[in-house]
Amino acid sequence: MLEQQRARRQFEMLSWLFLIAILVGVMGPIYLLVPEYPFFVANAVFIVTFFIFTRWLFLLKYSWFARIAWVKLVIMVLSIPLLFYLLDELGSFRAYVDEYGLQTFMQHLKHQEYKNLSTFIRSEMLIFGIGSIITTILIEFRMMISLWRGINRGTV
């Protein structure tokens, strides 16, 4: 039993270290080259939501709350306003890019740097934004299934 708890703690720590590395790797170039980027927080929320919920979708039985029903209920309830926040932020980003473009806060960059960074920002915002929205919807069903299994079968 102690060995399982230690393995779960190690897995949780490795998962968080991996998430931090991804977050720094994706957000680092944006922060260094465009410090006045207006969607920094939303971008970070997209990345964190996508990776945490993806991990829970596939590896829920290895999480610390695998057998705690009330935590799953809280996640289900809180994911609804989170979904609306994610939809709103992705919509705000798309509207901003369509109306003003990314050049408004990247005027100080050379043409090639601007071109590369704007492609990177658009791509990663859309990938992580849409991915986080999809995983937020799917996590509702995953938690329902897990709760049902816990009540009826005694499994995760």
Side-chain angles (χ1 to χ4, degrees):
M1 188 66 158
L2 273 163
E3 189 65 32
Q4 284 182 342
Q5 288 177 348
R6 195 176 82 190
R8 282 190 177 160
R9 271 189 254 124
Q10 287 175 343
F11 176 72
E12 193 72 27
M13 291 303 296
L14 285 174
S15 298
W16 280 102
L17 289 174
F18 179 73
L19 174 62
I20 291 168
I22 294 293
L23 195 61
V24 169
V26 171
M27 299 297 291
I30 299 170
Y31 181 75
L32 293 174
L33 294 173
V34 189
E36 63 275 356
Y37 181 59
F39 298 101
F40 199 78
V41 172
N43 199 351
V45 170
F46 287 159
I47 295 169
V48 169
T49 302
F50 176 72
F51 279 102
I52 289 176
F53 283 3
T54 300
R55 181 173 51 118
W56 289 348
L57 281 172
F58 297 106
L59 302 170
L60 183 63
K61 67 180 176 181
Y62 301 112
S63 67
W64 60 272
F65 63 91
R67 302 220 182 259
I68 306 173
W70 68 267
V71 174
K72 295 175 194 174
L73 287 171
V74 168
I75 290 170
M76 287 174 61
V77 169
L78 292 180
S79 66
I80 294 169
L82 176 64
L83 177 64
F84 288 118
Y85 171 78
L86 296 172
L87 288 167
D88 185 51
E89 287 300 317
L90 187 62
S92 297
F93 175 76
R94 294 297 304 156
Y96 187 90
V97 169
D98 289 344
E99 289 180 28
Y100 305 109
L102 295 175
Q103 68 272 10
T104 56
F105 49 84
M106 291 195 292
Q107 295 172 349
H108 63 283
L109 298 176
K110 297 176 184 150
H111 177 69
Q112 191 61 38
E113 286 178 331
Y114 162 74
K115 194 171 147 184
N116 292 340
L117 191 60
S118 66
T119 303
F120 174 73
I121 289 173
R122 274 193 192 99
S123 300
E124 65 92 14
M125 279 291 280
L126 288 176
I127 288 169
F128 289 118
I130 293 169
S132 65
I133 290 168
I134 291 170
T135 56
T136 302
I137 293 168
L138 292 177
I139 203 72
E140 290 284 328
F141 296 106
R142 178 64 173 110
M143 292 299 154
M144 277 189 251
I145 290 168
S146 180
L147 284 170
W148 183 86
R149 285 179 182 165
I151 293 168
N152 294 313
R153 292 185 188 169
T155 63
V156 179

